[in-house]
Every structure is written in C-alpha cells, then in structure tokens.
Amino acid sequence: MELGQHISQRYNAELEDIRNKVMTMGGLVEKQTSEAIKALLDRDGELANEVASSDDVINQMEVDIDEECTRVIALRQPTAGDLRLVIAVVKVITDLERIGDEAAKIAHYAKKLAKKETVTGMHAELSHLSQLIMSMLQDSLDAFARLDSEQAIKILSQDIKLHKEFNVISRLSITHMMEDQRNIKQALQVNWCARSLERIGAHSQNLCEYVIYLVNGKDIRHTNLEHVRRKYFPEV
Amino acid sequence: MTEAMTHNIENRDEFNVEINGTVGKPLIDDPKFTTRNVDVHYGDKQAIFGVDLDVGKNEVLAMIGPSGCGKSTYLRCLNRMNDTIPICKVTGDFKLDGEDIYAKNQDPVLLRSRVGIVFQKPNPFPKSIYDNVAYGARLHGLTSNRAELDDLVEKSLIRAGLFKEVKDDLHKPGTGLSGGQQQRLCIARTIAVDPEVILMDEPTSALDPIATALIEELMIELSGKYTIAIVTHSMQQAARVSSRTAYFHMGKLVEVNDTDSVFTNPEHQLTENYITGRFG
C-alpha cells in the first residue's frame, strides 16, 4: 500500500501529514503509558504526578487530526486506500486518546500507591502485565507505521494471554482483601491499575483491527479471530 | 475517440501495465445486455480488446477510465452508433435480451429506439420543446392521435423532471432552454419512445452542479424502469448513481465490481491508482 504518487502533490503531502501526526500522537501516548507504568512500579510519586496532569497535548492532537481528516474528506473525497486511511486514522486517534486517559488513571493511582507499603506479590504481577501491555502497544503502533497486517493479527491473538494476566491480579487482590481488611483500599487501587492496563491492551488491539481494515480492506471487528486468520492470513 | 488520443495514452509510461483479463464480476445472472469478445478497430488501430461484459436489468452500470480507454467506444457499440463511423470495425457478440443486435436483419434505427442515447453536449433539435419530445414518437408511429401524443409528451417531460419548468412554453424552441434543461429535454426525447436501455455518454460534463444533481437524481429514478449504462469522467458521479462500476484502461476491461467495493476496496491495482488519483 502506497501513500504517495497522487497526481496532486499537495494531496500526497496532506495524507502524509495526517499519518505523521498520528505517529507523533502514538509516540506521545506510548511515552505517557510507559512513564505511568514506571511511576507505578518504581513507586515514583513525582513522576506519577507529572503524567497524571499531562494528557492535554494528546487531547489537542486528537482534535487537530480529526479536523484535518474532515478537511481531507470534504476537499479531496478520498477513495479506496486513501478513504480507508482517513477512516482508520479517525478511529485510531480515538483509541490513542483513550489510552492516554488510561495512562493518566494509572498515574493517578500510582501517586496514592507510592505513599503506602507494597502489597506482597502484587508488584511482580503488575510488572508482568505491564510488560505485556507495553509490548502490545509498541507492536500495534509499529504495525500501523509499517502497515503490517500480519503483525496486527499476531497481536490480536494475544487476547487470551492478556486476560489471563489480568485475572491473576484480580484473584490476588481478592486474596489480599480476604486476608486482611486493611488491605482492601490498596488492593482495589492495584486492581484498578490492572484494569486500566487491560484497557490499554484492548485499545491496542483495536488499533490492530484498523490496520487490517486499512491494509486488507476487511472489517474484522466482532468476528471470530480464528476464522479471520484462516481466511485472510493462512501463513501467520 | 480519435486515433491521436489513443496514441497519447500509450506513450505514457505509467499506463504501460500488463492487464491479464478482467477481475471482479463482469458477468451476471440476469443480464439485459450480454457482450462477448468485443474488439473495436479504428482503421489499423485497435481501440477495444476482447471485452466480456454484461449489463443487468434495471441497473445503472458506470464505465470509468482515463481518456482514450475505450469506454465511450464500447458504449456506442451497444446501439450501433459506431456504424456511422466508416473506419470503425466492431466485432464480437452483442445480445439484447438474447437477440443479436448486429444481425443482418436488425434495423439500427429500430434498435436505437430500444437503446436510446444521451450525449455529453445537449443536442436538442432546432424545433419546439413539444416537437423535440414528439419527434421519436412521430417517427416510429407510436401514437394514433393528437391527444395521445400530447399525453406522451407531457408524461415524458414529467418523467425527465422538466414539465413544471416548461409547461407554459411547450411551443418555444428547445434551444432556448438552459444547458441543464436542454439535457433533460434530450432525456425526455429519449424516454418518449419508451426504450429498454438508456446509454449516457458523459451526460453532465457540460452542466453546472445543480443541473448535474437533477440529472443524477433522474438517473436513479429512471433506473427503476430502464437499464442505464453511463460513461462518466466524474468518479463521484459514478459512485453516487451506479450500482456496478466497470474500469477500462487502454482498451481493456480491467475490473467490474459493485460500486461500493470499487470505491472502498478495488481488486485491481490499476483501478485503485485511477480512482485515488495516482498513476503507477
């Protein structure tokens, strides 16, 4: 799939500009998420504070890119791959903005958790889940940048692993709450962090669905993943 | 299409991509028109290469492609308009409801009353609005008295969406109307002889956006009763009015598919390049 080569150089530049802005927004969201996780795992209250109050730039980018997409639709009437790019971008930035929101939530809880003693075992489990989420997010953004739908389908297949990791933390939180009522507040906060991490994973998977739509022209949302894989990606 | 135009296209490197057959669904289950192995030559120059294509009953089929790709030439084969060009040689099977339209006993004039055509430039006769619409009916003796003819003229003008605007001026010259009205007058003239198929060769390229919108609405309405094949340079128009789209490229039929899929996810790279405004 090629972005350039339009007869109109300006149209090339407009689409390229939209894509670059999405990549920049993706980079910011990735940084935001990684710092929120770092603040959580390192119990760094100061960093958490910074992250919790810095998603304005991401929000503004969502609005700007949306506006640019509207302009391209109105002025250029994109078709085929160009149309799918613009539609995919409009959806991608919504998910990116939500990831930013989840990162801010994690940072918010990280601030509170930094002031308390660590709950035994929780830290290690959060670290596992965080690693998985970060790699899913990075790989999804990478798949979008390289228009790699095969990588996208691989990331979508990590669904079960993601839920397994999340469930481990849920069970652990419940155990801690049952052991000692004084742990409830903290265990809930850990659980909410895990929930936000899981949401980031789900949003990253949405990005992958848009990559497949963009590259292959197939809308695979709400369909059986195995079926999609067999039909369109027999090699993966 | 002139020879010079064909020549021009062939000299452009970005167009020299090999095409092996047609992708998509050029043939359908319930066709009005079936055309097979269509070749057209202008003198020594071949303009169309082995096109197989069906036009479905009551569908609007849009034909798109760069200048000189053969879409108008193909369209004009469907009512034997190319017969009027001495150097033009048409071969292949053309069947309208299973009947060979190039058969020796086929009367081209009668055929053209079954398969009407609307051209790029409105071409009303230098006669009154009434006589323009009544022309075909008189020629083919479709009505037996004045009252019937009046009725036919009125109905045709209503169907072409023009009656309200001209009902008090039926005896004024057709050439005095605006471009968009003239084109609707030509459509009224075409439908007055109750054709089965209407061919349109860039019917709105000489019209402003409002007149264009009126004609496009008309096409969609008319498709309930007639089969329509339209050649257009406006891809948005093809996307708006047609249910199937055929992409021609250097005399070959590259892709035919539902209009929705052609404009969102075309199968052939050349189709994608053309509709997105790229070459390569």
Side-chain angles (χ1 to χ4, degrees):
Chain A
M1 210 185 146
E2 284 272 353
L3 277 189
Q5 293 189 339
H6 290 93
I7 304 162
S8 162
Q9 293 295 319
R10 205 180 286 178
Y11 187 18
N12 279 343
E14 284 166 8
L15 289 180
E16 201 55 56
D17 187 46
I18 287 179
R19 207 168 81 108
N20 288 341
K21 281 190 176 145
V22 175
M23 300 314 302
T24 310
M25 184 176 174
L28 278 175
V29 167
E30 188 186 329
K31 180 168 169 273
Q32 181 103 337
T33 308
S34 124
E35 285 182 348
I37 289 172
K38 188 168 187 298
L40 176 70
L41 298 180
D42 294 355
R43 304 163 49 75
D44 183 342
E46 209 172 304
L47 181 59
N49 221 358
E50 259 176 56
V51 179
S53 58
S54 69
D55 63 347
D56 296 356
V57 187
I58 292 171
N59 294 346
Q60 189 54 46
M61 287 202 85
E62 185 196 15
V63 175
D64 292 345
I65 298 171
D66 238 350
E67 221 175 85
E68 213 162 313
C69 289
T70 311
R71 200 164 47 231
V72 165
I73 291 173
L75 302 184
R76 303 284 183 190
Q77 289 109 40
T79 50
D82 299 337
L83 175 65
R84 299 201 305 273
L85 172 74
V86 176
I87 298 295
V89 163
V90 170
K91 287 167 180 283
V92 161
I93 58 174
T94 308
D95 280 88
L96 286 178
E97 191 273 334
R98 300 240 171 103
I99 295 176
D101 284 350
E102 297 298 341
K105 276 188 212 165
I106 295 171
H108 173 75
Y109 293 120
K111 258 193 303 188
K112 300 184 180 231
L113 285 166
K115 293 177 195 150
K116 306 236 174 78
E117 283 290 303
T118 326
V119 188
T120 330
M122 288 286 203
H123 192 273
E125 293 306 334
L126 271 178
S127 170
H128 283 160
L129 181 60
S130 302
Q131 275 171 22
L132 174 65
I133 295 304
M134 271 321 286
S135 81
M136 281 175 82
L137 176 58
Q138 282 160 350
D139 292 348
S140 314
L141 290 169
D142 197 40
F144 180 79
R146 292 193 284 115
L147 301 175
D148 184 347
S149 57
E150 290 193 357
Q151 179 167 332
I153 196 85
K154 281 183 198 154
I155 300 165
L156 284 169
S157 318
Q158 292 181 323
D159 211 35
I160 299 167
K161 201 171 164 194
L162 174 63
H163 287 114
K164 217 165 130 190
E165 289 283 354
F166 175 67
N167 286 337
V168 168
I169 296 184
S170 284
R171 272 201 306 275
L172 205 59
S173 322
I174 294 167
T175 314
H176 279 290
M177 290 185 214
M178 284 172 22
E179 270 173 6
D180 187 343
Q181 288 180 359
R182 282 168 299 178
N183 286 338
I184 289 180
K185 195 171 177 189
Q186 211 174 347
L188 272 176
Q189 284 167 345
V190 168
N191 207 36
W192 285 327
C193 286
R195 177 73 186 158
S196 283
L197 287 167
E198 185 272 335
R199 290 318 306 151
I200 293 175
H203 287 302
S204 307
Q205 292 189 310
N206 290 351
L207 300 186
C208 295
E209 290 177 344
Y210 308 143
V211 171
I212 291 167
Y213 167 71
L214 171 54
V215 178
N216 302 68
K218 305 287 173 206
D219 188 348
I220 61 150
R221 290 173 303 169
H222 317 297
T223 47
N224 180 290
L225 191 63
E226 236 353 270
H227 171 75
V228 172
R229 192 216 292 268
R230 268 201 309 273
K231 192 162 177 197
Y232 305 117
F233 303 93
E235 309 276 301
V236 181
Chain B
M1 186 182 66
T2 64
E3 224 171 272
M5 283 163 75
T6 332
H7 192 67
N8 249 340
I9 286 282
E10 282 179 1
N11 283 347
R12 284 151 75 165
D13 279 349
E14 58 268 25
F15 277 96
N16 286 328
V17 179
E18 203 170 320
I19 303 158
N20 298 314
T22 305
V23 300
K25 287 169 251 155
L27 312 184
I28 53 174
D29 289 340
D30 187 21
K32 181 78 188 165
F33 248 118
T34 56
T35 64
R36 298 287 181 274
N37 304 315
V38 177
D39 284 342
V40 179
H41 289 81
Y42 289 104
D44 296 337
K45 196 88 196 166
Q46 188 162 1
I48 291 185
F49 299 81
V51 167
D52 293 340
L53 177 61
D54 288 346
V55 188
K57 277 191 184 112
N58 295 73
E59 76 169 356
V60 180
L61 170 74
M63 286 173 260
I64 58 170
S67 292
C69 69
K71 56 193 188 300
S72 288
T73 300
Y74 174 80
L75 187 83
R76 283 153 197 251
C77 292
L78 299 180
N79 71 346
R80 296 182 54 174
M81 288 300 287
N82 288 327
D83 289 12
T84 57
I85 305 168
I87 59 160
C88 184
K89 190 175 135 233
V90 179
T91 57
D93 296 326
F94 292 84
K95 291 201 171 87
L96 175 61
D97 284 332
E99 182 190 334
D100 182 4
I101 63 166
Y102 279 81
K104 283 212 172 83
N105 58 358
Q106 182 70 250
D107 175 3
V109 177
L110 203 64
L111 171 71
R112 286 174 204 141
S113 73
R114 292 174 68 193
V115 185
I117 189 162
V118 177
F119 295 98
Q120 176 177 7
K121 232 181 134 212
N123 54 351
F125 302 135
K127 289 169 176 286
S128 70
I129 294 170
Y130 184 97
D131 286 342
N132 260 284
V133 183
Y135 187 86
R138 281 179 178 143
L139 183 73
H140 296 286
L142 298 181
T143 51
S144 49
N145 56 49
R146 180 75 192 194
E148 268 182 43
L149 189 61
D150 286 352
D151 194 43
L152 179 69
V153 168
E154 185 178 325
K155 272 192 186 142
S156 305
L157 284 168
I158 289 172
R159 212 175 286 156
L162 187 62
F163 187 68
K164 274 188 195 159
E165 291 158 62
V166 301
K167 65 177 188 298
D168 300 322
D169 303 315
L170 289 179
H171 295 285
K172 288 190 180 164
T175 46
L177 296 171
S178 73
Q181 287 173 326
Q182 284 188 19
Q183 194 63 305
R184 278 180 283 146
L185 177 62
C186 293
I187 293 174
R189 188 177 63 193
T190 305
I191 58 186
V193 293
D194 201 23
E196 295 158 48
V197 182
I198 303 176
L199 311 176
M200 296 189 172
D201 194 355
E202 297 181 42
T204 62
S205 54
L207 305 182
D208 70 30
I210 294 167
T212 300
L214 281 170
I215 303 266
E216 285 179 3
E217 273 303 298
L218 185 57
M219 279 184 231
I220 294 165
E221 257 170 54
L222 292 176
S223 68
K225 187 165 159 50
Y226 308 99
T227 296
I228 298 179
I230 172 177
V231 161
T232 175
H233 268 145
S234 159
M235 281 175 278
Q236 269 73 44
Q237 180 167 74
R240 282 191 297 263
V241 302
S242 69
S243 50
R244 267 163 90 232
T245 297
Y247 174 63
F248 283 78
H249 187 95
M250 286 176 63
K252 291 178 181 164
L253 181 58
V254 175
E255 173 167 355
V256 186
N257 261 318
D258 292 341
T259 299
D260 282 356
S261 32
V262 169
F263 285 92
T264 56
N265 194 14
E267 263 181 61
H268 202 287
Q269 190 59 44
L270 278 171
T271 319
E272 167 115 16
N273 290 351
Y274 180 69
I275 64 164
T276 56
R278 290 178 172 89
F279 295 134

